[in-house]
Amino acid sequence: MPPYVIEPPALVTLPVAGTEARFPVRRVYCIGRNYAAHAIEMGHDPDRDPPFFFQKNPDNLDPSGEFPYPPRSTDVHHEAEMLIALKSGGSDIAVGNALEHVFGYGLSLDMTRRDLQGTAKKMGRPWEIGKAFERSAPCGPVHPVTDVGHPDHGRIALSVNGDLRQEGDLNQMIWKVPEMISYLSEYFTLAAGDIILSGTPAGVGPVAKGDVLEMSIASLGDLTVRVV
Ligand code: MN
């Protein structure tokens, strides 16, 4: 094998609950406006819009428990989301077969530079500057399906410094997990290592340095992230 001309970047991996083994990450897809109440709070019609996705970078995922307040923004928001980790993929996956491709589930935050995202929206520009910045996806370990099954209902919540800010139920997702996988696979070839962030319930809001974010999903446990 020929030598590399530069040091190859490290493979991004996530912890897997209950084992020393790691989950290697390939791509990160995020769905927008997947809970009706959040779509409404952002000024959109929850019923009429088809699903849409944007991407974060694999190395934006961060299981460290710390979120460094990012540069060039004064309005950084929390979005609590269930993470879906795929063990296989393909194209044109039928809704009925989609769950066979899931390795596990976890907790994650789609941290958003809302001011920069807002400007991008207004100007019809891409969202990366608001969404895909350094360490913008704090997350917890992946819980294998063999341990937790396929959670399709149960409370999802986030508090900031002990005050409840976001609360919903996984059963309020407009596009369910199998539908998201199927839809994505019509446009992209999904593969083992792909991650999907499944959208956030209502109650998104700003964070500040020193805040402690505590997220929970029934059956998947808790995630604590400190803003530094
Ligand atoms: Mn989101």
Side-chain angles (χ1 to χ4, degrees):
M1 195 172 67
Y4 294 109
V5 295
I6 58 169
E7 190 67 26
L11 181 67
V12 175
T13 66
L14 298 180
V16 177
T19 171
E20 294 298 303
R22 309 279 296 190
F23 182 88
V25 179
R26 176 175 175 263
R27 296 179 182 170
V28 181
Y29 296 98
C30 309
I31 191 169
R33 298 170 205 151
N34 201 27
Y35 288 76
H38 173 62
I40 291 165
E41 77 177 348
M42 298 301 286
H44 298 279
D45 180 343
D47 297 323
R48 202 175 40 190
D49 295 340
F52 70 93
F53 292 83
F54 58 91
Q55 282 178 275
K56 294 201 187 226
N57 301 295
D59 68 353
N60 296 156
L61 290 165
D62 181 3
S64 74
E66 286 196 341
F67 172 71
Y69 200 94
R72 311 303 295 175
S73 176
T74 56
D75 192 25
V76 177
H77 281 203
H78 53 75
E79 296 189 0
E81 314 206 356
M82 186 170 76
L83 175 153
I84 304 154
L86 300 189
K87 64 180 180 186
S88 55
S91 300
D92 298 321
I93 297 168
V95 170
N97 300 328
L99 290 181
E100 296 167 10
H101 298 283
V102 179
F103 170 79
Y105 298 87
L107 278 62
S108 61
L109 292 166
D110 167 18
M111 300 303 291
T112 302
R113 291 194 280 215
R114 193 72 75 203
D115 42 4
L116 301 189
Q117 183 201 24
T119 303
K121 280 183 183 176
K122 218 174 295 173
M123 302 183 77
R125 290 178 178 167
W127 284 12
E128 281 87 351
I129 200 166
K131 288 288 195 180
F133 55 91
E134 264 49 65
R135 301 174 71 176
S136 59
C139 63
V142 180
H143 299 267
V145 166
T146 47
D147 294 339
V148 298
H150 295 282
D152 60 1
H153 66 281
R155 185 174 184 260
I156 175 170
L158 180 134
S159 66
V160 180
N161 304 325
D163 295 331
L164 183 64
R165 296 285 174 82
Q166 290 195 259
E167 190 174 29
D169 193 292
L170 298 178
N171 68 14
Q172 295 165 342
M173 285 184 191
I174 297 169
W175 299 92
K176 310 300 182 192
V177 174
E179 294 171 323
M180 280 186 267
I181 293 169
S182 176
Y183 187 90
L184 272 171
S185 77
E186 293 175 14
Y187 293 86
F188 304 100
T189 303
L190 297 177
D194 287 350
I195 296 276
I196 301 169
L197 303 192
S198 54
T200 198
V204 301
V207 301
K209 278 183 193 174
D211 283 350
V212 177
L213 314 181
E214 289 175 289
M215 179 186 167
S216 64
I217 296 179
S219 78
L220 296 179
D222 304 318
L223 170 67
T224 300
V225 175
R226 188 175 298 271
V227 183
V228 297

Tab-separated table of all heavy atoms in Angstrom, residues 30-33 38 54 56 79-81 109-112 114 127 131 197-200 204, ligand 1:
chain	number	residue	atom	x	y	z
A	30	CYS	N	-29.753	14.892	8.835
A	30	CYS	CA	-30.644	15.465	9.847
A	30	CYS	C	-31.935	15.885	9.160
A	30	CYS	O	-31.904	16.550	8.121
A	30	CYS	CB	-30.020	16.708	10.474
A	30	CYS	SG	-28.336	16.505	11.083
A	31	ILE	N	-33.077	15.503	9.751
A	31	ILE	CA	-34.361	15.917	9.181
A	31	ILE	C	-34.769	17.245	9.806
A	31	ILE	O	-34.470	17.516	10.973
A	31	ILE	CB	-35.452	14.840	9.390
A	31	ILE	CG1	-36.699	15.175	8.558
A	31	ILE	CG2	-35.798	14.676	10.863
A	31	ILE	CD1	-37.714	14.030	8.492
A	32	GLY	N	-35.422	18.100	9.027
A	32	GLY	CA	-35.935	19.362	9.533
A	32	GLY	C	-37.415	19.251	9.850
A	32	GLY	O	-38.128	18.469	9.239
A	33	ARG	N	-37.870	20.032	10.863
A	33	ARG	CA	-39.308	20.178	11.150
A	33	ARG	C	-40.054	18.852	11.178
A	33	ARG	O	-41.011	18.643	10.440
A	33	ARG	CB	-39.961	21.063	10.078
A	33	ARG	CG	-39.405	22.456	10.044
A	33	ARG	CD	-39.902	23.227	8.819
A	33	ARG	NE	-38.973	24.291	8.470
A	33	ARG	CZ	-38.778	24.760	7.241
A	33	ARG	NH1	-39.453	24.262	6.220
A	33	ARG	NH2	-37.910	25.720	7.010
A	38	HIS	N	-42.965	21.983	16.717
A	38	HIS	CA	-41.731	22.715	16.401
A	38	HIS	C	-41.841	23.407	15.041
A	38	HIS	O	-41.395	24.535	14.867
A	38	HIS	CB	-40.521	21.789	16.428
A	38	HIS	CG	-39.250	22.433	15.951
A	38	HIS	ND1	-38.691	23.519	16.596
A	38	HIS	CD2	-38.444	22.169	14.901
A	38	HIS	CE1	-37.581	23.886	15.954
A	38	HIS	NE2	-37.414	23.091	14.923
A	54	PHE	N	-30.836	17.929	5.845
A	54	PHE	CA	-29.531	18.570	5.638
A	54	PHE	C	-28.505	17.651	6.272
A	54	PHE	O	-28.858	16.621	6.851
A	54	PHE	CB	-29.511	19.969	6.271
A	54	PHE	CG	-29.810	19.993	7.741
A	54	PHE	CD1	-28.795	19.902	8.677
A	54	PHE	CD2	-31.125	20.097	8.198
A	54	PHE	CE1	-29.081	19.915	10.037
A	54	PHE	CE2	-31.418	20.116	9.559
A	54	PHE	CZ	-30.392	20.020	10.474
A	56	LYS	N	-24.833	17.129	8.633
A	56	LYS	CA	-23.700	17.587	9.428
A	56	LYS	C	-22.504	16.740	9.015
A	56	LYS	O	-22.639	15.744	8.296
A	56	LYS	CB	-23.982	17.440	10.918
A	56	LYS	CG	-25.102	18.354	11.412
A	56	LYS	CD	-25.018	18.571	12.908
A	56	LYS	CE	-26.222	19.337	13.421
A	56	LYS	NZ	-25.844	20.429	14.351
A	79	GLU	N	-31.424	21.728	20.141
A	79	GLU	CA	-32.489	20.919	19.546
A	79	GLU	C	-32.246	19.476	19.974
A	79	GLU	O	-31.299	18.840	19.520
A	79	GLU	CB	-32.471	21.024	18.014
A	79	GLU	CG	-32.768	22.420	17.478
A	79	GLU	CD	-32.970	22.456	15.955
A	79	GLU	OE1	-32.880	21.392	15.308
A	79	GLU	OE2	-33.208	23.557	15.430
A	80	ALA	N	-33.074	18.963	20.860
A	80	ALA	CA	-32.934	17.592	21.360
A	80	ALA	C	-33.512	16.613	20.340
A	80	ALA	O	-34.662	16.778	19.905
A	80	ALA	CB	-33.667	17.452	22.695
A	81	GLU	N	-32.747	15.603	19.960
A	81	GLU	CA	-33.180	14.703	18.893
A	81	GLU	C	-32.763	13.256	19.161
A	81	GLU	O	-31.677	13.007	19.676
A	81	GLU	CB	-32.570	15.148	17.550
A	81	GLU	CG	-32.705	16.649	17.327
A	81	GLU	CD	-32.718	17.088	15.889
A	81	GLU	OE1	-32.554	16.235	15.008
A	81	GLU	OE2	-32.890	18.301	15.663
A	109	LEU	N	-27.928	16.193	20.230
A	109	LEU	CA	-28.359	17.585	20.145
A	109	LEU	C	-27.923	18.145	18.796
A	109	LEU	O	-26.760	18.041	18.429
A	109	LEU	CB	-27.727	18.411	21.274
A	109	LEU	CG	-28.216	18.080	22.681
A	109	LEU	CD1	-27.294	18.688	23.734
A	109	LEU	CD2	-29.627	18.596	22.869
A	110	ASP	N	-28.905	18.678	18.064
A	110	ASP	CA	-28.600	19.367	16.807
A	110	ASP	C	-28.414	20.841	17.150
A	110	ASP	O	-29.338	21.639	17.028
A	110	ASP	CB	-29.755	19.131	15.823
A	110	ASP	CG	-29.692	20.046	14.606
A	110	ASP	OD1	-28.617	20.607	14.335
A	110	ASP	OD2	-30.737	20.179	13.938
A	111	MET	N	-27.195	21.190	17.637
A	111	MET	CA	-26.937	22.578	18.032
A	111	MET	C	-26.897	23.442	16.770
A	111	MET	O	-26.357	23.033	15.733
A	111	MET	CB	-25.634	22.680	18.818
A	111	MET	CG	-25.624	21.846	20.107
A	111	MET	SD	-26.962	22.238	21.280
A	111	MET	CE	-26.474	23.875	21.808
A	112	THR	N	-27.495	24.619	16.883
A	112	THR	CA	-27.771	25.437	15.700
A	112	THR	C	-27.407	26.895	15.951
A	112	THR	O	-27.879	27.481	16.932
A	112	THR	CB	-29.281	25.338	15.354
A	112	THR	OG1	-29.623	23.967	15.128
A	112	THR	CG2	-29.620	26.170	14.120
A	114	ARG	N	-28.624	29.828	15.212
A	114	ARG	CA	-29.923	30.216	14.653
A	114	ARG	C	-29.824	31.518	13.867
A	114	ARG	O	-30.507	31.699	12.855
A	114	ARG	CB	-30.962	30.365	15.770
A	114	ARG	CG	-32.386	30.459	15.263
A	114	ARG	CD	-32.908	29.137	14.732
A	114	ARG	NE	-33.244	28.208	15.791
A	114	ARG	CZ	-33.301	26.869	15.620
A	114	ARG	NH1	-33.047	26.339	14.441
A	114	ARG	NH2	-33.609	26.080	16.622
A	127	TRP	N	-27.463	25.651	4.584
A	127	TRP	CA	-27.550	25.782	6.033
A	127	TRP	C	-26.265	25.427	6.781
A	127	TRP	O	-26.217	25.540	8.016
A	127	TRP	CB	-28.639	24.850	6.564
A	127	TRP	CG	-30.029	25.330	6.338
A	127	TRP	CD1	-30.446	26.357	5.535
A	127	TRP	CD2	-31.212	24.798	6.941
A	127	TRP	NE1	-31.808	26.489	5.590
A	127	TRP	CE2	-32.303	25.538	6.448
A	127	TRP	CE3	-31.450	23.766	7.827
A	127	TRP	CZ2	-33.619	25.274	6.825
A	127	TRP	CZ3	-32.755	23.496	8.209
A	127	TRP	CH2	-33.833	24.244	7.708
A	131	LYS	N	-25.453	25.002	10.871
A	131	LYS	CA	-25.711	23.655	11.390
A	131	LYS	C	-24.473	22.773	11.524
A	131	LYS	O	-24.408	21.942	12.423
A	131	LYS	CB	-26.694	22.937	10.441
A	131	LYS	CG	-28.133	23.462	10.493
A	131	LYS	CD	-28.813	23.053	11.783
A	131	LYS	CE	-30.334	23.234	11.703
A	131	LYS	NZ	-30.987	22.831	12.970
A	197	LEU	N	-30.333	12.125	12.476
A	197	LEU	CA	-30.920	12.858	13.603
A	197	LEU	C	-32.365	13.136	13.223
A	197	LEU	O	-32.642	13.707	12.166
A	197	LEU	CB	-30.156	14.145	13.901
A	197	LEU	CG	-28.657	14.016	14.214
A	197	LEU	CD1	-28.113	15.340	14.765
A	197	LEU	CD2	-28.362	12.892	15.166
A	198	SER	N	-33.296	12.752	14.102
A	198	SER	CA	-34.688	12.570	13.693
A	198	SER	C	-35.608	13.746	13.979
A	198	SER	O	-36.816	13.601	13.921
A	198	SER	CB	-35.231	11.306	14.351
A	198	SER	OG	-35.054	11.352	15.750
A	199	GLY	N	-35.030	14.929	14.265
A	199	GLY	CA	-35.852	16.112	14.453
A	199	GLY	C	-36.141	16.377	15.917
A	199	GLY	O	-35.948	15.516	16.777
A	200	THR	N	-36.614	17.608	16.171
A	200	THR	CA	-36.725	18.062	17.558
A	200	THR	C	-38.145	18.492	17.886
A	200	THR	O	-38.840	19.063	17.031
A	200	THR	CB	-35.729	19.222	17.806
A	200	THR	OG1	-35.534	19.389	19.211
A	200	THR	CG2	-36.211	20.542	17.214
A	204	VAL	N	-37.355	24.835	21.345
A	204	VAL	CA	-35.960	25.180	21.119
A	204	VAL	C	-35.692	26.590	21.626
A	204	VAL	O	-36.595	27.424	21.691
A	204	VAL	CB	-35.590	25.089	19.616
A	204	VAL	CG1	-35.832	23.681	19.104
A	204	VAL	CG2	-36.355	26.113	18.791
B	1	MN	MN	-32.807	19.659	14.161
